[in-house]
Amino acid sequence: SNNAVLADPLNEVQRISDELTSKCGVPAPPRSVTLEDVEKFVDPNLQHNKKENDEKAAKLPVIATYNDGKCVVHDFESDTKEGTPTAAREQKLYGQAMRIYCDFESGKAYEDDYQWPQLD
């Protein structure tokens, strides 16, 4: 995940590279990934507004938690008129998207028997 890459860029990029080779059959790179390689592509400074957005979201109500409370889903601000079918669909799809996000964060979405939600 993006969070894992930002927390430990070199090891996370190496893990991704290793899994592409071992699980997906992608040929191994000709050399190991170096910190210099990673720093060319991973720039934490490009995460502008993340802190502000996280602080803003934290002020909104919690609508769900997953993964033993490790993944907290806050409500969101919408321009859609409340009480309309469009707002209900937007809320439902947001909930499904956040569930999938949390499942990716925990690794559940990578399991062979993962059940993807039906989007309707």
Side-chain angles (χ1 to χ4, degrees), residues 54-117:
D54 289 348
E55 289 171 355
K56 185 177 178 182
K59 294 177 183 174
L60 296 170
V62 173
I63 59 172
T65 59
Y66 300 105
N67 309 325
D68 298 321
K70 294 176 186 164
C71 192
V72 177
V73 178
H74 291 271
D75 204 353
F76 65 99
E77 295 177 357
S78 174
D79 294 330
T80 305
K81 184 177 178 183
E82 288 186 41
T84 64
T86 301
R89 177 164 168 73
E90 182 181 53
Q91 188 71 35
K92 179 181 179 185
L93 290 173
Y94 172 75
Q96 290 175 317
M98 293 309 297
R99 174 62 190 250
I100 293 168
Y101 169 82
C102 290
D103 288 347
F104 273 114
E105 285 290 304
S106 71
K108 290 179 186 175
Y110 298 103
E111 295 173 3
D112 290 337
D113 60 348
Y114 182 71
Q115 295 294 311
W116 293 92

Side-chain angles (χ1 to χ4, degrees), residues 32-44:
S32 294
V33 178
T34 67
L35 184 58
E36 182 180 351
D37 295 328
V38 173
E39 287 175 344
K40 289 178 185 176
F41 294 98
V42 178
D43 185 354

Side-chain angles (χ1 to χ4, degrees), residues 6-55:
L6 291 175
D8 189 0
L10 180 59
N11 287 326
E12 185 63 8
V13 170
Q14 187 62 57
R15 182 194 65 77
I16 292 168
S17 175
D18 293 345
E19 287 190 12
L20 284 170
T21 300
S22 67
K23 294 183 177 183
C24 302
V26 174
R31 61 181 176 80
S32 294
V33 178
T34 67
L35 184 58
E36 182 180 351
D37 295 328
V38 173
E39 287 175 344
K40 289 178 185 176
F41 294 98
V42 178
D43 185 354
N45 296 320
L46 295 178
Q47 300 294 310
H48 59 279
N49 298 328
K50 182 174 181 355
K51 182 179 179 185
E52 293 86 1
N53 288 339
D54 289 348
E55 289 171 355

